[in-house]
């Protein structure tokens, strides 16, 4: 069979500097009954206009392997260029 995947993600603003983010993906590697899922969800806070901190819980369930879950912290930053 053919392998195919799907991905969906999004964000919902909860307040001026807080956003709830989520992502989910699915894979079917073409073998009957051999599919996998992964996803994450959690709040992100804009601590400055150029920096964001997020805390997310995740699930990873790959095809044909044991699934596991956990959490992680993200720190994202961006640098504005200009003249």
């Amino acid at each position: 069979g053919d392998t195919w995947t799907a991905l969906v993600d999004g964000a919902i603003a909860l307040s001026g500097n807080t956003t709830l983010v989520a992502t989910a993906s699915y894979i079917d590697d073409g073998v009957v009954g051999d599919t996998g899922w992964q996803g994450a969800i959690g709040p992100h806070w804009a601590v400055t206009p150029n920096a964001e901190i997020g805390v997310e819980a995740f699930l990873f369930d790959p095809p044909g392997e044991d699934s596991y879950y956990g959490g992680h912290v993200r720190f994202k930053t961006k640098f504005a260029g200009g003249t």
Side-chain angles (χ1 to χ4, degrees):
D2 294 330
T3 297
W4 64 274
T5 61
L7 171 72
V8 63
D9 66 353
I12 298 172
L14 301 177
S15 69
N17 69 338
T18 305
T19 305
L20 182 66
V21 299
T23 185
S25 64
Y26 173 81
I27 185 171
D28 183 337
D29 67 2
V31 178
V32 174
D34 208 5
T35 60
W37 290 91
Q38 69 181 29
I41 187 168
H44 283 219
W45 296 274
V47 292
T48 72
N50 293 325
E52 182 178 293
I53 295 174
V55 178
E56 298 178 3
F58 68 85
L59 168 68
F60 185 63
D61 186 12
E65 298 180 28
D66 291 336
S67 62
Y68 60 93
Y69 57 90
H72 57 248
V73 176
R74 291 183 178 210
F75 177 72
K76 298 192 307 186
T77 186
K78 62 183 176 182
F79 297 96
T83 56

